[in-house]
Amino acid sequence: MKDAAPTTAPETFYLKDYKPFGFEVEAVELTFKLAPNSTRVLSKIRFSPKKNAADPRFFLHGEALKLISAKIDGAPVTPDLVEGGLSCETPDTPFTWEAEVEIDPAANTALEGLYMSSGMYCTQCEAEGFRKITYYPDRPDVMSTFSVRIEGNETVLLSNGNPTGAGEGWAEWHDPWPKPAYLFALVAGDLVNHPDRFTTRSGKDVELNIWVRPGDEGKCAFGMEALKKSMKWDEDVYGREYDLDIFNIVAVDDFNMGAMENKGLNIFNSSCVLASPETSTDANFERIEAIIAHEYFHNWTGNRITCRDWFQLCLKEGLTVFRDAQFTADMRSEPVKRIEDVIALRARQFPEDNGPLAHPPRPEQFQEINNFYTATVYEKGAEVIGMLKRVVGDDNYAAALDLYFQRHDGQACTIEDWLKVFEDATGRDLSQFKLWYSQAGTPRVQVSEDYADGAYTLTFEQSTPPTPGQPDKAPRVIPLAVGLLSPNGDEVRATDVLELTEAKQSFTFDGLAAKPVPSILREFSAPVILKRETSNAERAFLLAHDTDPFNRWEAGNALATETRVTMVVEGAAPDAAYLDALETLVRDDTLDPAFRALVLSPPSQSEIAQTLHDRGVTPDPQKIYDAAETFAQTLAQQLETSLPRLYAATTVDGPYQPDAHGAGLRALNGRILSLLTRLDGGEQAARQYQAADNMTQQYAALAALMKAENGETQSQAFFDQWQGDRLVMDKWFALQVACAAPETAAAVASKLTDHALFDMKNPNRFRAVMGALAGNHAGFHHASGAGYQLLAENLIALDSLNPQTTARMCAAFQTWKRYDSARQALIRVELERILATEDLSRDTHEMVSRILQG
Ligand code: BES
Ligand code: ZN
């Protein structure tokens, strides 16, 4: 085996090294002469040297470009071509730079820069992809207006801003809003559109389009409605209007991420915009609505106000995730959205924050910025804003945001700018709060209580375990929403926000006739791990009586976790009281079906593994799997007599509508069907599969059957019906791996990689198989090591084609230190094998090194 150390250490970039670019960019003109293997890009850029620049060097980023010619003020120049770009002698007065380069979009499998997907040209420039299109100061603090001319034979030629002219084989666009290059976009293809219009509150008429490949035009209506709702919501809630004459969305099949907020021309992974009842599940509809909103909201939080440098990424992403969550809460159910977000936070961010990849929401160093589009930057970044809002109050939050938009419109900003706005709007010192942006790790809050003479005291102690590079942590500001219930279930104290600022702090509540039951961390008011000695009886009490829906669900979740832990550790039977509580809840028709579905959804096996690890027990994935199976089987038996009635009562009649109420009922119905299938072997599921006229029910039935190892016929039928639909085929690929038993998961996944429709170059398809393998906890961690080996082999194969997607998927190994030494040894072999790969990308190299070191 080769030495694992790279020949040259990749460069590390530091926040502290920030220096502004030495030139203003006054205007950018680009001409694209499109050809699949030899696109010519002509740039004409007006630069003006800044006086007293900290860094006066003229350096333009450039990667994988063939320079044809370069001129300054019309005279040919010979720039110095170096690794990652070029430098050149320049006049000390304003000048015009012109360059012509050639690029090869058809060979671009990394899907960054200008590439081709299903015959169309498209771009992805965030974070540093524009440098693969032409030489440019590719950094977010360099903002300029862009004028674009596209020459090509495609029927549709799109770029940012407003259209300024078009003819046979060409189109021109002008974007009047200065923007960083990462927001540049171009699309060219034989596309069709789903058009609409929106009138802004000041009366501006905006043309809206969703552009898709012919055949997909019937899957645009839902996305269009979501867009119009988002535009209205941002006006109503944040006072933000759209600022161009046209807003275009394009669906592309090959895309590394979900979607991208390019100014006036959002580009979407087709999985995140195309929807129809026959091909999309309720979860797909909800995600599409949220992501359309997210990218639209970036127009103000990201585009009009952007980031000074990529260390500030959470300035736009955390805020925009926070905004899209508010939107979803308003469109659907606030508590359900909160519970879903906390489940996702614990599934994705907590493992990151408690493992080798832990980093603060604003990292201070990186090798490859693409590796920092993380759950911490996004989800914890959003949680930090939620805490800020809680700490200053809703009115102050609104005032601070008004000031933010007023003060910083048109600027590239920092977290300091963001917090200063809150300080100025509220008069509050936020220096301690700022620690949330610089400290990694999930704080633990240990709770103890005391009751005497009508006075009830809660004492909190906070501490954060060490994370890579940060051995010691200072106490943070932690807003804890707390309510008190009397022993008979009445709320005796409504929610109060207690603010922790010290390592240890007590709060006393007087005048209580009896010792209350506390409901702590209501609405999950801070992203912390609460630790408190309590009983299952008290958890069951909160599950039945808490007035805060989040904490009601949380009590059920804690019970589920406890019973799973005792099953694994002590070989105990499922907790009878918890089973009774679940039964009562499921049958309570006064409760929101979506909420009941969430209470019925078990904690993930990976989460149980983390809980065991936190308690000093080495998790055995097979035992965790067995406990989950036993629990579900016992619950099914307990509910046996009521399941058919519940199934019937939660079946939605009439034509499918993707609304929140119907989705909630179908979610509950799906949970019930999966339990029912454990008893009837799949009779009801087969009937449902047969009758289903929408993907939610078809998929739920197929999943239940496959889990019962009784879905061969339906799986084949599903394939026959949907083989022509890429997005539905992704579901088919993923489901087989997700439903596979632990001992067969790797083999099933391996076989699927040989399938004629498996395509390494399509990130959705690759993720369908390999993501599902990593998500099948007991399968991925099977003692044979087959899961580890298969994932590593595929990551190695993908790395030379698509480093970004490869590097992201390395995170499947981040939890390796939780497991026993045999598994750790197996994983180490695979990680070292990846690291020893010749010409390994910088992306994957950084991820694997950090996972190994942490
Ligand atoms: N700006 C990102 C897309 C992006 C991320 C492009 C990284 C290039 C590199 C976009 O706004 C985004 O955050 N998209 C998310 C979905 C969103 C709903 C959180 C995504 O693509 O997953
Ligand atoms: Zn975003």
Side-chain angles (χ1 to χ4, degrees), residues 37 131 165 211 270 272 425-426 461 478 520 536 637 661 678:
N37 291 109
R131 62 191 63 183
W211 297 94
S270 50
C272 294
T426 65
E461 282 176 80
I478 301 179
I520 306 168
N536 277 351
Q637 272 148 9
H661 180 71
R678 290 178 177 272

Side-chain angles (χ1 to χ4, degrees), residues 124 126-127 257-261 287 291 294-295 298 316-317 321 324 370 373 378:
Q124 172 54 40
E126 186 177 4
M257 301 290 291
M260 177 64 209
E261 70 267 24
R287 166 122 176 106
I291 192 160
H294 178 96
E295 306 310 337
H298 268 314
K316 77 175 176 82
E317 294 302 349
V321 170
D324 83 52
N370 282 322
Y373 286 75
Y378 275 68

Side-chain angles (χ1 to χ4, degrees), residues 286-297:
E286 182 173 336
R287 166 122 176 106
I288 289 167
E289 184 178 271
I291 192 160
I292 291 212
H294 178 96
E295 306 310 337
Y296 176 73
F297 296 157

Side-chain angles (χ1 to χ4, degrees), residues 201 233-241 300 323 402 405:
R201 65 170 181 184
W233 186 91
D234 214 12
E235 292 183 349
D236 292 347
V237 179
Y238 280 84
R240 299 293 109 203
E241 269 187 62
W300 275 94
R323 275 152 50 71
D402 287 344
F405 293 122

Side-chain angles (χ1 to χ4, degrees), residues 678-788:
R678 290 178 177 272
L679 303 180
D680 75 359
E683 260 175 63
Q684 186 60 56
R687 273 198 295 274
Q688 174 167 322
Y689 186 88
Q690 202 58 40
D693 66 352
N694 64 79
M695 182 50 70
T696 307
Q697 287 177 322
Q698 190 179 15
Y699 184 82
L702 182 60
L705 287 163
M706 289 181 51
K707 191 82 222 321
E709 296 184 27
N710 191 16
E712 279 294 310
T713 321
Q714 286 82 2
S715 176
Q716 185 59 48
F718 191 91
F719 179 86
D720 294 341
Q721 183 183 357
W722 295 117
Q723 55 180 313
D725 187 306
R726 289 206 196 195
L727 297 175
V728 183
M729 284 317 290
D730 289 334
K731 297 186 188 344
W732 183 80
F733 274 90
L735 199 53
Q736 294 179 69
V737 184
C739 294
E743 62 281 6
T744 58
V748 169
S750 174
K751 188 148 171 264
L752 286 171
T753 62
D754 296 329
H755 194 282
L757 292 181
F758 183 74
D759 177 6
M760 288 282 266
K761 292 185 186 162
N762 178 255
N764 291 359
R765 189 60 47 86
F766 186 87
R767 278 190 290 255
V769 178
M770 290 301 143
L773 176 62
N776 183 330
H777 184 255
F780 182 55
H781 292 284
H782 189 263
S784 65
Y788 306 145

Side-chain angles (χ1 to χ4, degrees), residues 33-40 102-108 114-117 119-121 151-154 188:
K33 300 180 179 181
L34 297 174
N37 291 109
S38 54
T39 289
R40 289 285 171 108
E102 190 175 294
I103 53 181
D104 186 351
N108 183 348
L114 178 66
Y115 65 95
M116 302 203 70
S117 171
M120 67 199 261
Y121 294 86
E151 297 176 10
N153 300 324
E154 292 69 21

Side-chain angles (χ1 to χ4, degrees), residues 539-668:
R539 294 187 181 106
F541 173 88
L542 287 172
L543 174 59
H545 299 293
D546 205 323
T547 52
D548 178 62
F550 175 80
N551 262 5
R552 239 185 130 172
W553 170 82
E554 180 81 309
N557 188 53
L559 280 171
T561 305
E562 287 313 315
T563 190
R564 228 49 68 89
V565 166
T566 47
M567 287 173 76
V568 170
V569 177
E570 298 163 22
D575 185 77
Y578 174 50
L579 288 167
D580 290 344
L582 274 185
E583 181 166 6
T584 310
L585 250 139
V586 176
R587 297 162 116 187
D588 184 350
D589 290 333
T590 63
L591 289 172
D592 180 2
F595 177 80
R596 284 187 276 163
L598 286 166
V599 175
L600 266 186
S601 306
S604 77
Q605 292 172 38
S606 175
E607 222 179 301
I608 300 296
Q610 181 67 39
T611 303
L612 288 169
H613 172 76
D614 291 345
R615 297 185 190 180
V617 181
T618 304
D620 178 339
Q622 183 66 45
K623 280 196 183 155
I624 297 173
Y625 175 88
D626 293 340
E629 288 296 306
T630 304
F631 185 85
Q633 195 64 38
T634 313
L635 179 62
Q637 272 148 9
Q638 164 123 4
L639 293 173
E640 181 162 14
T641 51
S642 34
L643 282 177
R645 184 196 67 77
L646 281 167
Y647 177 79
T650 53
T651 299
V652 190
D653 299 319
Y656 174 91
Q657 291 287 333
D659 60 290
H661 180 71
L665 270 173
R666 281 183 294 269
L668 181 54

Side-chain angles (χ1 to χ4, degrees), residues 149-157 165-172 190:
R149 177 182 170 86
I150 311 170
E151 297 176 10
N153 300 324
E154 292 69 21
T155 55
V156 177
L157 305 170
E168 190 59 35
W170 65 275
E172 290 179 351
D190 296 326

